Amino acid sequence: MSQGIRIALDAMGGDAGPTVALAGAEVALGRRPDLSFLLYGDAAAVEPLLQQHPKLKAVSTFQHCEVAVGMNDKPSQALRKGRYKSSMWRAIQAVRDGEADVAVSAGNTGALMAMSSFCLKMLPGIQRPAIAAIWPTLRGESIVLDVGATIGADAQLLTQFAIMGAAMAQCVFDLERPNVGLLNVGVEEIKGVEEVREAGRILREINHPGFAYHGFVEGDDIGRGVVDVVVTEGFAGNIALKTAEGTARQIAQYLRSAMSRSLLSKIGYLFARPAFNMVRDKMDPRKVNGGVFLGLNGMVIKSHGGTDAEGLASAIELAREMVHSNLLERIARDTVAGEAERAALAETNIKEVIPV
């Protein structure tokens, strides 16, 4: 895109609020000078901090909001008290009204999804939204969705998730035809619940031009990077995500304990430090921070609430990449293609059962 990318930033979201939000925005601006920002938050909290970031201030406009959505607010509570006047809502509304290209928030996930769905609505042909996360693997990175937006999914919805995830993989990984797999309890076609088996059948038969369907994948295949896109419903996806995050922290704690156990282990650490630093960088969650809300008629990125400035900057850069790559247009195009293939397949099946 020739013009700059406009980021609507909920400055009050996250555990640290505007302190991290503004610092992260300035880090992202240093890497991506084509960014500009619409900042939303409490003037008393934001404006003094904004003075400490003159480069960010020069490319930003700030609007005071009297309400900040709490991290523990229920989605229904957030909608009641924050609709039209909270920093979170105003950032989303800026996308709806064409004032910004994408909204970024580190705030309450449930509230952000509820407000985004209410304000932006769904893209034509999409039933429910999904949250897509970038997942580090042994081969590089993969995309996993849904990681918490929609609990339970039928075959049609899983098929839509596959189409949206593949479109995102095209944008993020620059792949012409990414490999897509369905998360299941086994790779055999007879295993799993009916919805997953039926989704697998549909994906095999439609042979979508935007991606190659790999088949079923198991939990350990995610980290191995067997496919570019892993599709599941939100309950299983969120458990997988939280398990992976907890395992990474557990391994890091094991390593720290082992390296400080004795004088010999401390000396060994000095020799192995470059390797440990490489592992630490690979497992750094800040570098893959940012969940993309897919299926909405507008772009919204959810940053981890407990991240620091570096992590928030990663989420903003991901937001920029999604806009730059025209993700919304790709999803809309590929969804139409998928529905056309499904309709043609259904018509063929009817003719086979009832010959004309």
Side-chain angles (χ1 to χ4, degrees), residues 37-54:
F37 293 87
L38 287 77
L39 305 175
Y40 298 91
D42 178 24
V46 174
E47 289 184 333
L49 290 171
L50 192 55
Q51 300 300 324
Q52 302 173 21
H53 301 283

Side-chain angles (χ1 to χ4, degrees), residues 11-21 49 71 106 305-308:
M12 307 305 293
D15 297 342
T19 302
V20 165
L49 290 171
M71 294 299 286
T307 194
D308 59 10

Side-chain angles (χ1 to χ4, degrees), residues 58-69:
V59 297
S60 301
T61 59
F62 170 70
Q63 295 189 30
H64 170 70
C65 302
E66 58 187 83
V67 175
V69 175

Side-chain angles (χ1 to χ4, degrees), residues 15-303:
D15 297 342
T19 302
V20 165
L22 299 188
E26 186 151 280
V27 171
L29 179 63
R31 298 173 185 162
R32 306 293 184 181
D34 62 341
L35 296 176
S36 61
F37 293 87
L38 287 77
L39 305 175
Y40 298 91
D42 178 24
V46 174
E47 289 184 333
L49 290 171
L50 192 55
Q51 300 300 324
Q52 302 173 21
H53 301 283
K55 293 181 180 179
L56 176 63
K57 183 179 179 181
V59 297
S60 301
T61 59
F62 170 70
Q63 295 189 30
H64 170 70
C65 302
E66 58 187 83
V67 175
V69 175
M71 294 299 286
N72 295 318
D73 287 351
K74 294 181 179 180
S76 57
Q77 294 174 329
L79 276 171
R80 281 197 301 270
K81 76 174 186 178
R83 193 186 311 174
Y84 308 121
K85 54 188 177 181
S86 68
S87 57
M88 182 181 287
W89 177 277
R90 295 286 301 280
I92 299 166
Q93 183 178 315
V95 175
R96 185 196 68 185
D97 295 345
E99 298 171 359
D101 299 302
V102 57
V104 177
S105 175
N108 181 320
T109 304
L112 184 63
M113 178 57 76
M115 286 190 175
S116 298
S117 300
F118 191 93
C119 185
L120 298 175
K121 312 301 181 186
M122 304 300 298
L123 281 170
I126 301 295
Q127 291 178 315
R128 299 286 299 276
I131 303 176
I134 297 177
W135 199 292
T137 72
L138 294 177
R139 293 179 52 218
E141 291 175 337
S142 296
I143 290 170
V144 179
L145 76 162
D146 174 25
V147 293
T150 299
I151 306 301
D154 60 16
Q156 183 178 354
L157 190 54
L158 290 171
T159 302
Q160 292 178 354
F161 287 176
I163 292 170
M164 293 191 294
M168 181 174 166
Q170 291 172 354
C171 295
V172 176
F173 306 141
D174 194 26
L175 296 172
E176 183 176 349
R177 204 158 185 257
N179 292 314
V180 175
L182 281 171
L183 186 64
N184 201 358
V185 295
V187 298
E188 298 85 357
E189 296 298 329
I190 61 172
K191 289 191 174 180
V193 296
E194 177 60 30
E195 291 83 359
V196 175
R197 297 200 307 271
E198 176 65 11
R201 183 191 66 79
I202 294 172
L203 290 172
R204 281 194 307 274
E205 293 184 355
I206 65 173
N207 191 26
H208 196 284
F211 61 88
Y213 177 58
H214 171 86
F216 295 150
V217 294
E218 298 181 87
D220 60 336
D221 292 327
I222 302 177
R224 291 166 53 203
V226 171
V227 292
D228 304 305
V229 181
V230 177
V231 177
T232 185
E233 54 83 37
F235 185 83
N238 190 265
I239 290 176
L241 178 66
K242 298 296 175 58
T243 301
E245 291 175 344
T247 301
R249 288 192 292 268
Q250 181 181 356
I251 292 173
Q253 183 60 47
Y254 281 162
L255 290 174
R256 283 192 294 268
S257 299
M259 292 301 101
S260 60
R261 184 165 299 170
S262 66
L263 177 60
L264 185 60
S265 63
K266 291 178 181 178
I267 295 174
Y269 169 73
L270 294 177
F271 289 100
R273 189 186 318 186
F276 282 114
N277 288 341
M278 182 181 69
V279 173
R280 181 193 61 196
D281 291 342
K282 182 67 176 176
M283 298 176 64
D284 189 349
R286 301 176 303 172
K287 294 188 176 182
V288 290
N289 181 44
V292 183
F293 286 9
L294 299 178
L296 301 171
N297 192 21
M299 288 303 310
V300 178
I301 306 297
K302 169 64 174 72
S303 168

